[in-house]
């Protein structure tokens, strides 16, 4: 990140440039080892109430299954809880893994949320399963369901607009026009978002390889869609970055190092639980190189340094909005990151 050729290298004017870009948050409701899930959810509530009153645009919750460290497996339920404890900030799924669900069920869930909290509900959509083969079996789904993702997105648009599908209406849901966002980390999502005229959110916080090409594709091929008010949609790029900001740059660097070790333990456990020492030994291996590449767009350092890095990243990604994914395992540093980078004091 200190290399002048890095996308996160800062220019002298980048800090002021960041002020013009909406900042949002991705919260995975992280569960610490040995911690009750309820504690993690209380932390998510605390984070959201702070973000609500300090200028963040939105918070998204991602659907993951069978992961002991993530408590956001039911985003609609979590959104309902957070919405009841906040008043302004937009809330949504980032995202619902649509192949796991019927479009009607999702339209009814998010339509209900939109009726309860008008103008505050988003629906980000992904085509990954959010889990492994065992999860797919438990959900009564197969990998083939992802092939229907484009069709299912169109069905959702019809339900929310009130047109319906084969005589079926989403109640609640119809007429709510819940905004849809296509999530992706490859050209597929960019092509789909462009074809149907929807905003595109790229998962560069963990899968950065195709960022530039995906954004190129999306902006080049975007086809405007009609809006309920008679207007047309315009291209809108959202890009995610992992972040750790702390007054102590050394502590931020330590947390980044720990995050890399944790990522290695998660990805390369080899059928057993790697110790920290074993994971440390892999940092200089090809596995460590893979983790470094995953975290290419991590902004780490003091608050001023991180703001500069994010502004440079926003230019690099041609982003209209940044989604920040706090990376520190230490709760104080994680919440501190959100506070340090808040758009308003």
């Amino acid at each position: 990140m200190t290399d002048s050729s890095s996308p996160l290298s800062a220019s002298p004017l980048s800090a002021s440039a960041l002020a013009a870009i909406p900042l949002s948050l991705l919260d995975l409701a992280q569960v610490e080892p040995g911690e009750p899930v309820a504690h993690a959810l209380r932390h998510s509530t605390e984070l959201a109430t702070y973000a609500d009153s300090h200028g963040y645009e939105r918070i998204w919750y991602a659907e993951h299954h069978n992961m002991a460290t993530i408590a956001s497996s039911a985003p609609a339920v979590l959104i309902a809880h957070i919405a009841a404890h906040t008043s302004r900030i937009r809330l949504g799924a980032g995202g619902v893994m649509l192949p796991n669900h019927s479009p009607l069920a999702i339209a009814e869930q998010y339509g209900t949320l939109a009726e309860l909290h008008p103008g505050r509900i988003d629906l980000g959509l992904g085509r990954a399963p959010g889990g492994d083969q065992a999860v797919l079996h438990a959900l009564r789904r197969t990998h083939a369901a992802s092939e229907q993702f484009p069709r299912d997105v169109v069905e959702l648009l019809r339900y929310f607009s009130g047109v319906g599908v084969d005589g079926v209406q989403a109640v609640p849901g119809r007429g709510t026009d819940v905004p849809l966002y296509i999530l992706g980390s490859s050209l597929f999502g960019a092509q789909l978002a462009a074809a149907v005229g929807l905003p595109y959110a790229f998962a560069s916080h963990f899968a950065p390889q195709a960022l530039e090409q995906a954004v190129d594709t999306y902006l080049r091929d975007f086809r405007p869609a009609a809006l309920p008010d008679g207007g047309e949609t315009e291209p809108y790029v959202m890009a995610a970055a992992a972040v750790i900001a702390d007054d102590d740059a050394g502590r931020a660097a330590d947390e980044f190092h720990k995050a890399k070790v944790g990522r290695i333990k998660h990805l390369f456990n080899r059928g057993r639980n790697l110790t920290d020492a074993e994971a440390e030994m892999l940092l200089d291996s090809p596995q460590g190189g893979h983790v470094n590449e995953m975290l290419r767009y991590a902004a780490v350092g003091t608050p001023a340094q991180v703001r500069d890095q994010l502004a440079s990243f926003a230019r690099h990604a041609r982003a209209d909005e940044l989604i920040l994914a706090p990376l520190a395992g230490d709760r104080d540093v994680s919440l501190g990151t959100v506070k340090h980078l808040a758009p308003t004091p």
Side-chain angles (χ1 to χ4, degrees), residues 154-155 157-170 174:
V154 173
E155 279 198 26
L157 287 167
R158 292 173 64 88
Y159 283 129
F160 285 131
S161 69
V163 173
V165 178
D166 296 332
V168 177
Q169 294 283 337
R174 61 182 179 184

Side-chain angles (χ1 to χ4, degrees), residues 97-108:
M97 300 298 102
L98 193 53
N100 295 343
H101 313 274
S102 74
L104 176 61
I106 295 302
E108 291 169 341

Side-chain angles (χ1 to χ4, degrees), residues 3-91:
D3 184 343
S4 61
S5 65
S6 167
L8 295 191
S9 297
S11 70
L13 299 178
S14 59
S16 59
L18 187 63
I21 301 173
L23 298 182
S24 298
L25 296 170
L26 176 67
D27 180 14
L28 301 181
Q30 183 173 325
V31 183
E32 298 299 323
E35 177 186 46
V37 169
H39 288 188
L41 297 177
R42 281 200 290 271
H43 173 72
S44 289
T45 305
E46 179 185 1
L47 183 151
T49 55
Y50 181 87
D52 185 46
S53 57
H54 289 82
Y56 282 97
E57 182 75 12
R58 69 188 89 236
I59 305 176
W60 280 357
Y61 304 94
E63 178 188 346
H64 291 280
H65 299 283
N66 196 32
M67 297 186 68
T69 58
I70 294 178
S72 56
S73 57
V77 179
L78 186 52
I79 290 166
H81 171 75
I82 298 296
H85 287 79
T86 53
S87 61
R88 177 201 60 84
I89 197 165
R90 297 191 67 89
L91 301 165

Side-chain angles (χ1 to χ4, degrees), residues 186-196 200 214 217-218 221:
S186 68
L187 298 188
F188 179 89
Q191 291 165 344
L192 176 59
V196 295
Y200 179 54
T217 298
Y218 173 68
D221 297 341

Side-chain angles (χ1 to χ4, degrees), residues 137-158:
H137 180 74
L139 290 170
R140 308 298 191 267
R141 314 297 282 185
T142 69
H143 283 292
S146 64
E147 298 173 5
Q148 305 301 320
F149 182 62
R151 184 197 68 184
D152 289 348
V153 170
V154 173
E155 279 198 26
L156 268 176
L157 287 167
R158 292 173 64 88

